[in-house]
Amino acid sequence: MTMPHPFHWVPADGKRHASTDPKPHKGYPAGFVVATLCGYQLAAESTTLSWFWETCPTCNDKAHALANTPMPPVASAR
């Protein structure tokens, strides 16, 4: 049985962040303040476009650690 991860993704402040705050059933509503894994208190966004924002690198690193999943190696620039 697959267990859900102990974090949720939330678009806020121009990036997709991760949070361990409890998530309402229908997701974080616009303006809902969450504590992010990168250490900020940010107001959630709830637009379709906001889910296409860049992922916060610090939240991504910490989310991978919480999920016990190593980050993929970085491809070298050509």
Side-chain angles (χ1 to χ4, degrees), residues 12-37:
D13 197 36
K15 292 193 173 161
R16 291 183 319 116
H17 292 271
S19 177
T20 56
D21 288 357
K23 185 177 81 167
H25 177 66
K26 293 189 177 190
Y28 300 110
F32 190 90
V33 176
V34 297
T36 62
L37 296 183

Side-chain angles (χ1 to χ4, degrees), residues 21-55:
D21 288 357
K23 185 177 81 167
H25 177 66
K26 293 189 177 190
Y28 300 110
F32 190 90
V33 176
V34 297
T36 62
L37 296 183
C38 61
Y40 293 98
Q41 298 281 327
L42 299 174
E45 299 280 341
S46 64
T47 65
T48 301
L49 182 60
S50 63
W51 286 102
F52 290 96
W53 290 345
E54 175 185 349
T55 301

Side-chain angles (χ1 to χ4, degrees), residues 48-77:
T48 301
L49 182 60
S50 63
W51 286 102
F52 290 96
W53 290 345
E54 175 185 349
T55 301
C56 169
T58 303
C59 283
N60 198 29
D61 289 344
K62 291 185 177 191
H64 274 81
L66 283 173
N68 200 25
T69 305
M71 289 285 293
V74 177
S76 61

